[in-house]
Amino acid sequence: MTGAPRVGAVIITMGNRPDELRALLDSVAGQQGEPVEVVVVGNGSPVPDVPEGVRTVELPENLGIPGGRNAGIEAFGPGGRDVDILLFLDDDGLLARTDTAELCRQAFAADDRLGIISFRIADPETGVTQRRHVPRLRASDPMRSSRVTTFLGGANAVRTKVFAEVGGLPDEFFYAHEETDLAWRALDAGWMIDYRSDMVLYHPTTAPSRHAVYHRMVARNRVWLARRNLPAPLVPVYLGVWLLLTLARRPSGPALKAWFGGFREGWTTPCGPRRPMRWRTVWRLTRLGRPPVI
């Protein structure tokens, strides 16, 4: 990058959190340095009132999280090429600091191979970061920044060259694991991913199972993720490990039924193009602490 990298932000909304959305937009507008350009995508719903200068896209139907975010990317030109960096932020989140965009500019400028940054998510009242929001296996210390193998979908920054090289998020996933699909493709292309504890998005503590389709989508998309991206010998190993982990967590009967339904669906429905990662990428993931079997 030459000069100050141009930063944009993509926010998708269902139109049901206008106050939280406005607070998030204010936190983006308050970022230091050059102004961040913002696109708010109404995912099958009208966009609430937004400040002047914020662009909006209203989709006629809900395309899911990856589909909505892809629409936001394209609002910045094909593959987001009109900007150098795109922030992806949940509409009920809030940037905790005013220097987050500037920290992103500095991080990407300092490392040509850095493709994605995963922010730390913290509860606005307690400051606590849930273990599941630290994108690595050794997650006991959320204040430790590190290289990682995936990222958090609603609190991240992506160099737009990544989209130009490996494509966007997988539309067909609708919800769950779309970030890991993009992360694996980016890593296979030679990009790196960082988790940065000093880049913080405030977000209320929630359980992912609040989504009615959670168990089905998690299982289906886990199978799709493996079928699309893993070398053939690793597909049964990866899915076998996750089957055992799911059973070990002792989900309720209805949850387990939904999970197995999604698991079956993952094998019997099209998953999109298959582009298995190279074995050297498998080794890179292993060296980064998360081999692609878990």
Side-chain angles (χ1 to χ4, degrees):
M1 298 179 182
T2 57
R6 298 162 297 172
V7 180
V10 173
I11 302 164
I12 59 173
T13 183
M14 300 292 291
N16 56 351
R17 294 190 281 237
D19 295 339
E20 292 90 339
L21 174 61
R22 186 58 183 254
L24 171 62
L25 292 171
D26 289 345
S27 74
V28 175
Q31 292 297 298
Q32 301 169 12
E34 292 296 314
V36 176
E37 301 178 49
V38 181
V39 168
V40 177
V41 179
N43 211 356
S45 66
V47 175
D49 290 338
V50 295
E52 184 177 352
V54 173
R55 288 184 280 167
T56 62
V57 175
E58 293 188 352
L59 302 176
E61 61 179 307
N62 182 356
L63 299 182
I65 293 173
R69 287 183 178 143
N70 283 337
I73 293 168
E74 294 302 306
F76 288 97
R81 68 184 182 191
D82 294 343
V83 293
D84 302 300
I85 301 163
L86 277 175
L87 312 180
F88 295 87
L89 307 170
D90 276 351
D91 68 340
D92 56 345
L94 183 75
L95 290 174
R97 297 168 45 158
T98 60
D99 62 349
T100 301
E102 190 61 28
L103 288 173
C104 287
R105 292 186 183 98
Q106 292 171 8
F108 284 117
D111 185 350
D112 289 341
R113 298 314 300 165
L114 179 61
I116 302 171
I117 299 172
S118 190
F119 300 168
R120 180 167 63 88
I121 293 179
D123 184 273
E125 296 184 2
T126 66
V128 172
T129 296
Q130 292 179 272
R131 186 181 183 89
R132 69 184 182 89
H133 284 151
V134 183
R136 59 177 179 246
L137 292 179
R138 296 178 179 177
S140 60
D141 182 7
M143 300 307 294
R144 179 173 67 86
S145 299
S146 69
R147 294 281 199 199
V148 290
T149 62
T150 188
F151 63 99
L152 306 174
N156 67 80
V158 181
R159 192 192 297 265
T160 53
K161 285 183 179 179
V162 173
F163 298 126
E165 188 168 347
V166 307
L169 295 156
D171 286 335
E172 55 268 67
F173 278 41
F174 197 84
Y175 163 77
H177 303 319
E178 66 274 4
E179 303 92 352
T180 300
D181 187 89
L182 176 60
W184 283 1
R185 285 183 281 127
L187 288 162
D188 196 48
W191 297 100
M192 300 302 293
I193 306 170
D194 279 356
Y195 166 72
R196 288 282 298 263
S197 64
D198 57 336
M199 301 182 189
V200 182
L201 184 84
Y202 282 149
H203 189 282
T205 298
T206 56
S209 54
R210 71 189 186 280
H211 298 288
V213 297
Y214 171 76
H215 296 287
R216 170 179 157 253
M217 291 293 195
V218 162
R220 184 197 69 180
N221 292 358
R222 183 79 70 183
V223 177
W224 281 0
L225 180 69
R227 289 176 59 197
R228 287 163 59 96
N229 295 289
L230 290 181
L234 293 186
V235 173
V237 179
Y238 177 80
L239 295 175
V241 167
W242 278 104
L243 172 60
L244 293 175
L245 286 173
T246 300
L247 294 174
R249 290 168 179 167
R250 297 190 171 188
S252 67
L256 194 59
K257 181 179 179 181
W259 192 94
F260 274 111
F263 194 79
R264 187 182 313 110
E265 185 181 349
W267 285 108
T268 58
T269 55
C271 63
R274 173 167 165 75
R275 299 188 180 94
M277 66 178 65
R278 293 166 292 184
W279 284 103
R280 69 180 184 185
T281 304
V282 173
W283 176 236
R284 172 186 284 183
L285 288 162
T286 303
R287 290 177 60 196
L288 289 170
R290 189 156 196 161
V293 294
I294 188 170

